[in-house]
Amino acid sequence: MSCLFCRIAAGEIPATVVARSDGAIAFRDLSPQAPIHVLVIPTEHITSAAHLAPGNRSPVFGEVMALAAQVAADLGLAESGYRLVVNTGKDGGQSVDHLHVHVLGGRQMTWPPG
Ligand code: DGP
């Protein structure tokens, strides 16, 4: 298995896991860009948001988004707010080719993003 996040999901590479659900796993980002920075991934390999086919893939992404919201709430971000980011492809700044949602919080976010 060569995909980094597949290996994290399989427990082959250590990560600080903060939550799991059926089909998704959440763990701390190795290089945090905010006081709270968690990645939420589907346990099955999906390369990017661009690879979500209409219909059959939607439940998986729904599971990922539901876990992202749960993690944000569990980490105390529900009231203050937070940002969910899905970098997609080269221009989107995606560096790991396994779909992931960044959960960023604990500081005021700025707009536009860089
Ligand atoms: P992106 O640039 O959107 O593809 O985000 C990839 C993120 O993955 C980036 O914020 C750093 C994080 N990351 C890369 N390698 C590892 C790792 O081995 N463990 C963890 N926990 N995070 C990683």
Side-chain angles (χ1 to χ4, degrees), residues 4-5 8 27-30 39 87 93-96 100 102:
L4 174 64
F5 285 178
I8 286 177
F27 53 92
R28 301 271 182 187
D29 195 292
L30 201 60
L39 301 172
N87 295 328
Q94 184 176 4
S95 62
V96 178
H100 50 282
H102 295 258

Side-chain angles (χ1 to χ4, degrees), residues 76-81:
L77 299 176
E79 200 171 321
S80 56

